[in-house]
Amino acid sequence: MAISFGDVAQGQSPGLADKAWRQVDLPHDWSIEGPYSQKNASGTGFLPGGIGWYRKTFQLPASMRGQRVSIRFDGVYRDSTVWINGARLGSRPYGYASFEYDLTPHLGFGAQPNVLAVRVDHSVVADSRWYPGSGIYRHVWLNVTGPVHIAPWGAYVTTPVAGEAEALVSIETRLMNETPAEAVATVVTSVINEKAEEVGTAKEEEPVAAGKDRTFAQQVVVPRPSLWSPEQPHLYTAVSRVYLDGKVIDEQRTPFGIRSFYFSPDKGWSSTGGRSR
């Protein structure tokens, strides 16, 4: 990833000359590089903010044509705008939440280069009571799936029953069909323990209408679960696989702990072990 500090005219243009830009690895925070000054806000540790532009040129193999390609930013601080090949994807003023954009309609494949550009504006540095940094300060992921796929943040796991004898794990998986035809999809979800052992599985097959989404609701019973607690933070993983015509076309892994809690007017807050998303 290349970076240039200060505002750049047409910084999103694919034809912009950026070979002289500085190369950095992500995650990246430019404020931490200083210099310190009392003219800067205490919330940034008296370090500078400002504006920065990031650019990344990459190629995708021709075999990816027909796939869905998206990019997920775990965190950009702050006020970011993202372009791909000169097409504006959107803006995100908030600096702490993750967000995702679909790149598919704007991509080139094979020898054609693709240019990702991100403008980050942290000019107003007196915006936090703790040090937030500046720039793409968390990981960035390029995700490739088929046109029928699990929606972004589409797996939701709860444990409505969390006892020592057994636990009930409820998994909701939202599937998106971005094709012009109905797709009959099968979702198989396996619950894996910390020893990488499968302790339960569920399977559901349903049609998903063209251009629509559908939520697959499944439940798995886990015998004698290892309950999550601060002292013993046992984790399980829900592995959701999507099949079309017997072939796996998407997979998502969701870690979670088995725990439940409730409030009583007599005893206050009580816990037996979980909920995860």
Side-chain angles (χ1 to χ4, degrees):
M1 181 72 76
I3 188 171
S4 179
F5 298 110
D7 219 347
V8 178
Q10 294 298 306
Q12 75 276 19
S13 173
L16 182 75
D18 59 8
K19 290 185 178 180
W21 287 25
R22 176 185 166 194
Q23 295 294 320
V24 296
D25 292 326
L26 300 183
H28 176 255
D29 168 20
W30 75 65
S31 289
I32 199 65
E33 299 175 359
Y36 293 93
S37 172
Q38 291 184 353
K39 296 180 180 179
N40 299 320
S42 61
T44 54
F46 301 104
L47 291 167
I51 296 175
W53 278 85
Y54 293 89
R55 284 170 62 92
K56 174 70 174 181
T57 300
F58 61 97
Q59 292 175 296
L60 297 173
S63 59
M64 278 191 184
R65 198 182 302 274
Q67 300 287 85
R68 177 187 179 273
V69 184
S70 63
I71 189 166
R72 178 178 297 183
F73 294 84
D74 283 351
V76 181
Y77 205 89
R78 55 176 302 244
D79 199 2
S80 65
T81 305
V82 182
W83 293 263
I84 183 69
N85 294 331
R88 184 179 181 274
L89 299 175
S91 296
R92 186 78 176 189
Y94 191 57
Y96 295 113
S98 56
F99 54 97
E100 182 169 323
Y101 295 117
D102 184 13
L103 306 181
T104 313
H106 314 289
L107 290 173
F109 297 89
Q112 183 179 343
N114 298 282
V115 179
L116 178 77
V118 183
R119 182 184 185 270
V120 184
D121 188 348
H122 192 197
S123 300
V124 181
V125 292
D127 61 351
S128 179
R129 63 177 71 179
W130 51 79
Y131 177 78
S134 301
I136 306 177
Y137 71 100
R138 292 181 179 167
H139 291 291
V140 179
W141 310 94
L142 191 70
N143 297 317
V144 181
T145 69
V148 178
H149 60 93
I150 299 173
W153 301 283
Y156 184 48
V157 180
T158 59
T159 55
V161 177
E164 294 184 359
E166 68 177 23
L168 181 65
V169 180
S170 177
I171 310 104
E172 295 183 1
T173 307
R174 187 163 70 93
L175 218 60
M176 299 181 68
N177 178 9
E178 298 185 273
T179 73
E182 180 184 83
V184 178
T186 302
V187 176
V188 178
T189 301
S190 301
V191 175
I192 309 298
N193 65 15
E194 293 175 306
K195 298 179 181 179
E197 300 169 334
E198 183 179 295
V199 295
T201 187
K203 179 179 180 180
E204 184 179 4
E205 181 179 275
E206 295 289 347
V208 185
K212 302 293 183 179
D213 63 82
R214 183 170 193 149
T215 298
F216 289 67
Q218 300 171 310
Q219 291 186 328
V220 174
V221 175
V222 178
R224 301 191 61 82
S226 298
L227 300 180
W228 187 98
S229 70
E231 296 76 24
Q232 294 182 314
H234 299 292
L235 288 179
Y236 290 80
T237 302
V239 183
S240 301
R241 296 185 176 95
V242 182
Y243 292 82
L244 279 183
D245 300 323
K247 296 181 180 180
V248 178
I249 59 168
D250 199 8
E251 177 181 313
Q252 186 162 316
R253 305 174 73 88
T254 307
F256 67 96
I258 296 178
R259 184 187 188 190
S260 66
F261 57 88
Y262 59 94
F263 291 91
S264 165
D266 300 321
K267 298 181 180 179
W269 184 82
S270 300
S271 173
T272 59
R275 185 181 179 115
S276 175
R277 185 169 188 169

